[in-house]
Amino acid sequence: MFKTYYDELLHHFTRRTGTRHAAEDAVMEAYLRALQHMHAGHTIRQPRAFLYHCVRNLLASQARRSAIEADALQCLGVLGAAHSPSPEEQLDARQRLVHLQHQLNAMPAKRRDAFVLVRVHGMRYAEAAAYLGSTTAAVEKHVARALQMLHAESGATAATGRAILLLGRLQHGEPAVTRKAGQQLQRLALRDSDHANALACASRLWAQADGSKLRTVIDLPPAASAPDNPGRRAGLLAIAAMLLAGGGWGARWYWRQPLWNMALQTGLGQHLRQRMPEGSNLELAPNTRADARLYRHRRIVQLLHGEMALEVRADARRPFIVQTSWGQVRVLGTRFSVASHAHQLQVAVASGSVAVYANGAADVSDTAVPSIVLQPGHSVVIDAHGVQAVTPIAPQDVAAWTQGWLVFAQTPLPHAISRWNQYLRTPLVLPEDRADVPLRISGRYRIADPESFLRALQDMYGLQSTRRADGCIALVAPALQRRR
């Protein structure tokens, strides 16, 4: 299947995207999905149609990613501020990076993940334990043993292993643990020459295991709330090995894979709060589906349906993009909400500013001109006709549902009822002969008190609530109710 369709797919989508790199990324990801599909025991009856469908979906939902092979080399210390690496240096850097990946992949999964979180991404032991759903003591031991595995040829003794454990506590422990570890290390150094030598060896190995410069190259392991997908990991490693053997284009594809990916979904009346590894917070309203991905140079949230509140951590090197079927939003650091429904997209900003791009462009580049730049205290709606008028909104009303309130400002009644039905087990309905009447409602209502909303409808429009035989609550005018 690879030999039959690869060149055709690459040629077709290179012409469509205008860039060979983006086409290569999407085509190889499509082959990975085909591999996983077959490993799961499924049969692909029309492989060509399957691959084209996968690539189209990927290009529609993924932003074009910049080349980062030079970043990987720089992380390995090959590139300096005024140094152009020779081909030999580039080859040596790639070989060292591949060797490190092989060493990490040879470790037990828990040991590898603990080491990467602590020595590469700089987490404290307690933070790594919470991230992995483990204990601090287990993380300490995993890191120490991983370091000894990386330097198995060093001839480290049991005393060296003890010193490594204490050095880890000194650098990554909580304050009380750090003080105690420092005292123990002092006693170890003064005990005798053998222990002093063991401490010196441990210090050297610990320094050599500093992987902080590799944060953009070594993937974050999956959090405890996002179980690893063994099929995807195996598929990535298998294809990456094939591509690395095939040249630099394969290396570029491999390094552009997401560092972290999570599918998010809520049901009736549910809220879900998710913190991304880089510090941004996402909160989903009921009946919402989204996909969050963290890349080395970009953060992307695809809002498939529903509403989200976002607090984006500022990172000029890694812009944050929200993709919807109606358009996209690009930010660096701010607090705002995005709602994507069947007929429109709504964006409201509480702080900072966001650039809004209409019509669901496949890629929001650094030079793309936004349809509108939204400032704090403003909201905009995008529908099939493009960007509608900007309206003011109180900052505290942006994503007020996260605080237990539904806020309406001249909101059409059918839309307001739809919002309430995201929380109510007994839904509200309008009779068909009232659904198109241009009734609008304003006000703040507690989600825990829907009766206040029903009273407001009666006061403003004379609509009364009555329970139907199917269990729904119908909103009808008194005259209509009497005739029935």
Side-chain angles (χ1 to χ4, degrees):
M1 188 166 62
F2 185 91
K3 292 180 179 179
T4 303
Y5 301 112
Y6 178 78
D7 289 338
E8 175 189 342
L9 287 164
L10 185 59
H11 179 69
H12 176 82
F13 287 104
T14 296
R15 286 191 295 119
R16 179 172 174 176
T17 63
T19 167
R20 185 180 178 89
H21 289 166
E24 286 174 349
D25 291 347
V27 170
M28 291 311 304
E29 178 68 17
Y31 273 105
L32 173 60
R33 294 188 179 186
L35 179 65
Q36 292 176 321
H37 196 69
M38 291 186 292
H39 280 175
H42 303 295
T43 301
I44 300 178
R45 301 186 183 280
Q46 296 181 317
R48 185 175 182 271
F50 180 92
L51 291 168
Y52 268 89
H53 179 73
C54 286
V55 177
R56 288 193 189 98
N57 286 347
L58 288 162
L59 289 175
S61 63
Q62 294 179 356
R64 179 185 176 185
R65 292 164 285 182
S66 62
I68 61 169
E69 187 177 13
D71 291 343
L73 297 178
Q74 187 172 18
C75 288
L76 288 167
V78 173
L79 293 179
H83 176 61
S84 178
S86 66
E88 292 79 9
E89 288 175 319
Q90 295 184 40
L91 178 60
D92 177 66
R94 291 192 186 96
Q95 289 175 340
R96 285 189 285 133
L97 187 58
V98 170
H99 178 64
L100 176 60
Q101 288 283 10
H102 286 327
Q103 287 182 295
L104 292 176
N105 290 335
M107 294 180 185
K110 293 181 179 179
R111 186 174 303 175
R112 175 186 60 245
D113 292 348
F115 179 83
V116 169
L117 288 175
V118 173
R119 295 305 288 148
V120 176
H121 292 278
M123 287 190 182
R124 289 186 174 274
Y125 282 146
E127 295 172 334
Y131 185 92
L132 297 173
S134 183
T135 64
T136 302
V139 171
E140 288 179 353
K141 293 178 181 177
H142 283 314
V143 172
R145 290 170 182 169
L147 191 147
Q148 290 173 289
M149 286 184 66
L150 290 174
H151 300 283
E153 72 283 356
S154 64
T157 63
T160 304
R162 172 64 177 168
I164 289 173
L165 194 65
L166 292 174
L167 283 171
R169 292 175 181 173
L170 182 66
Q171 293 199 19
H172 297 281
E174 297 303 304
V177 174
T178 296
R179 287 192 297 270
K180 185 176 180 180
Q183 295 169 356
Q184 291 174 313
L185 283 170
Q186 287 180 350
R187 290 196 295 268
L188 190 68
L190 298 174
R191 187 170 175 179
D192 54 46
S193 59
D194 289 341
H195 284 84
N197 291 335
L199 178 56
C201 178
S203 299
R204 183 177 68 256
L205 297 181
W206 186 266
Q208 290 173 356
D210 178 14
S212 58
K213 292 183 180 180
L214 296 175
R215 290 180 185 177
T216 61
V217 180
I218 303 296
D219 292 356
L220 273 169
S225 57
D228 193 13
N229 185 331
R232 179 175 178 85
R233 180 186 289 266
L236 279 172
L237 291 176
I239 293 181
M242 177 183 71
L243 298 182
L244 285 171
W249 66 272
R252 282 195 298 272
W253 172 83
Y254 179 69
W255 296 126
R256 291 177 189 177
Q257 298 311 298
L259 301 174
W260 174 85
N261 187 9
M262 179 172 285
L264 306 169
Q265 184 170 356
T266 55
L268 177 68
Q270 294 180 331
H271 285 186
L272 174 64
R273 188 173 180 86
Q274 175 64 47
R275 184 178 179 86
M276 295 180 66
E278 39 70 67
S280 297
N281 290 311
L282 316 175
E283 187 161 357
L284 277 65
N287 297 323
T288 297
R289 289 196 303 124
D291 182 43
R293 300 189 299 276
L294 174 63
Y295 296 92
R296 296 175 178 86
H297 72 299
R298 187 160 300 197
R299 299 164 287 176
I300 295 179
V301 171
Q302 186 178 15
L303 179 57
L304 302 172
H305 180 267
E307 185 172 358
M308 298 179 68
L310 302 97
E311 296 178 6
V312 176
R313 183 175 181 179
D315 186 347
R317 298 178 300 104
R318 193 156 48 184
F320 196 108
I321 297 172
V322 181
Q323 299 175 335
T324 76
S325 58
W326 290 100
Q328 300 192 33
V329 179
R330 179 188 174 102
V331 300
L332 289 178
T334 186
R335 185 166 62 89
F336 65 108
S337 68
V338 180
S340 178
H341 298 291
H343 305 294
Q344 66 179 27
L345 165 71
Q346 183 174 9
V347 182
V349 180
S351 62
S353 61
V354 302
V356 182
Y357 302 78
N359 302 323
D363 185 15
V364 177
S365 66
D366 294 337
T367 58
V369 178
S371 304
I372 187 171
V373 177
L374 210 57
Q375 301 298 331
H378 291 87
S379 174
V380 69
V381 170
I382 295 176
D383 58 19
H385 302 290
V387 176
Q388 303 304 305
V390 176
T391 57
I393 183 173
Q396 65 269 21
D397 288 345
V398 175
W401 48 269
T402 63
Q403 305 299 320
W405 294 88
L406 289 182
V407 179
F408 305 110
Q410 290 298 304
T411 303
L413 184 56
H415 179 64
I417 289 175
S418 177
R419 292 286 306 279
W420 272 106
N421 285 341
Q422 294 178 353
Y423 295 90
L424 300 177
R425 295 191 178 278
T426 303
L428 306 175
V429 295
L430 276 174
E432 293 181 1
D433 54 359
R434 305 290 294 178
D436 296 329
V437 177
L439 303 180
R440 295 179 177 271
I441 189 166
S442 299
R444 290 171 58 91
Y445 303 92
R446 277 206 171 276
I447 295 173
D449 184 21
E451 293 295 330
S452 62
F453 177 72
L454 296 177
R455 288 193 298 270
L457 291 182
Q458 183 172 357
D459 293 342
M460 286 187 288
Y461 300 116
L463 295 178
Q464 295 184 357
S465 58
T466 179
R467 186 177 295 273
R468 301 192 318 194
D470 60 5
C472 296
I473 296 179
L475 302 174
V476 297
L480 292 174
Q481 194 174 23
R482 284 196 296 271
R483 285 201 298 270
R484 294 182 181 182

